[in-house]
Amino acid sequence: TGFSYIVGSERGPENWGYLEEEWRACSEGRKQSPIDLARENVKVIPHLGDLRRNYKPSYAYVRNRGHDLQLRWDYKRAGSIEVDGREYFLQQCHWHHPSEHAIDGKSYQLELHMVHSTLHGEVAGNTVVVGLLYEIGEPNAFIKEVLRRVTCETRGEEMEAGEEIEVGEVDPRKIIKGEHSYYRYMGSLTTPPCTEGVKWIVNKQPSSVTEEQIWSLRRLVDDGAWNNSRPIQPLNGRHIQLYNP
Ligand code: SG7
Ligand code: ZN
């Protein structure tokens, strides 16, 4: 059971849609994620406006899910983002290596997803995912802070697959700093069931991270030797909007 990220394997990405009845969108959906945010498909839309982020620090939990590392807040405690006049509450964030989205055909080493929802646990039309790409450079302060709280040296024991630990107060405002330009398009969850109707917002400016920090993140995850990014999906005539003040 489960799914794999290994292209060409029995449970690999090109077969997700045939593994379970509820996963059909992974193969048959026409608005899947991730995509290449390619210049020729991007339209600058000035009236999209700055994102209204109403985040606040709150107690968080880190869960090692075997294929990714997830930082979770209690429902509604970490605040929300306002998109198209609706409030979407931040639920969790997690990392993919290498990146899932590409910009002009260029992939990155790491991508973070902040998953937001209007309702607890609901998906489809109620989900906004904010993506952040990272390129190799200076250490990332937010990742450093998360790693410090979960690594063996701090806790005295290694984190195990499936384990969830309380990590104290985490401020979501520290994840994306100061940058306002973003891409927007309609897509899907990037893992089965690949549900569509997800509003995607991808920060235009990549953040920075070191190779070592990426290794630390991967080492924490059980199958850390592998990647956990879904291949690029066809655009199928969709438009990508760009807000670039
Ligand atoms: C990861 O990506 C997890 C999932 C997430 C999925 O597998 O973070 O989270 C949970 C709680 O299972 O699914 C509904 C949801 O958040 C897909 O999220 S993504 O499209 O942002 N990669
Ligand atoms: Zn994700």
Side-chain angles (χ1 to χ4, degrees):
T1 61
F3 60 90
S4 154
Y5 282 104
I6 305 167
V7 174
S9 73
E10 205 179 321
R11 308 193 73 86
E14 67 278 49
N15 297 325
W16 288 355
Y18 312 107
L19 298 176
E20 310 259 352
E21 186 61 33
E22 305 78 57
W23 295 1
R24 273 173 61 172
C26 302
S27 301
E28 290 175 7
R30 307 255 314 151
K31 295 181 172 180
Q32 291 289 295
S33 294
I35 58 166
D36 177 18
L37 302 159
R39 190 165 303 158
E40 64 265 30
N41 302 311
V42 172
K43 240 188 170 158
V44 178
I45 315 278
H47 70 252
L48 279 178
D50 279 352
L51 289 171
R52 276 203 216 164
R53 299 185 172 93
N54 315 304
Y55 299 133
K56 53 194 180 196
S58 171
Y59 275 85
Y61 309 83
V62 169
R63 187 186 294 174
N64 179 347
R65 302 185 352 120
H67 63 96
D68 72 7
L69 196 73
Q70 186 172 295
L71 184 66
R72 178 179 76 77
W73 288 271
D74 281 331
Y75 186 56
K76 286 195 175 178
R77 291 289 185 78
S80 65
I81 190 170
E82 202 180 303
V83 179
D84 300 334
R86 281 173 84 192
E87 220 181 351
Y88 294 81
F89 296 93
L90 177 61
Q91 304 205 316
Q92 49 108 338
C93 66
H94 59 267
W95 287 271
H96 296 265
H97 163 83
S99 71
E100 296 206 300
H101 288 88
I103 298 181
D104 282 324
K106 184 185 188 306
S107 287
Y108 292 77
Q109 283 300 304
L110 189 70
E111 180 169 343
L112 168 134
H113 291 155
M114 300 173 83
V115 182
H116 305 70
S117 183
T118 51
L119 302 162
H120 195 182
E122 282 291 315
V123 168
N126 304 307
T127 302
V128 166
V129 185
V130 175
L132 176 67
L133 299 159
Y134 299 83
E135 55 195 3
I136 305 298
E138 292 293 302
N140 186 279
F142 183 75
I143 292 175
K144 186 175 172 187
E145 182 63 28
V146 171
L147 285 172
R148 191 181 63 77
R149 300 195 202 189
V150 297
T151 49
C152 192
E153 296 80 70
T154 310
R155 300 179 60 232
E157 56 183 317
E158 211 61 70
M159 201 178 178
E160 281 170 38
E163 196 186 354
E164 181 173 273
I165 57 169
E166 240 186 271
V167 293
E169 202 162 73
V170 175
D171 188 350
R173 290 173 297 197
K174 292 184 174 162
I175 301 174
I176 300 179
K177 288 287 187 106
E179 175 61 43
H180 298 294
S181 303
Y182 59 87
Y183 298 97
R184 243 194 97 164
Y185 78 97
M186 288 303 295
S188 73
L189 298 179
T190 65
T191 63
C194 307
T195 315
E196 295 187 343
V198 173
K199 290 179 178 179
W200 273 93
I201 291 170
V202 179
N203 209 61
K204 181 165 179 280
Q205 180 65 45
S207 190
S208 78
V209 69
T210 64
E211 302 258 15
E212 203 195 333
Q213 286 185 309
I214 296 175
W215 271 109
S216 304
L217 284 175
R218 292 174 75 192
R219 245 196 318 267
L220 281 169
V221 178
D222 191 41
D223 53 6
W226 299 106
N227 76 54
N228 64 347
S229 85
R230 187 188 194 192
I232 297 285
Q233 301 296 305
L235 196 59
N236 294 325
R238 277 175 288 176
H239 297 289
I240 304 162
Q241 302 182 318
L242 171 61
Y243 174 62
N244 201 12

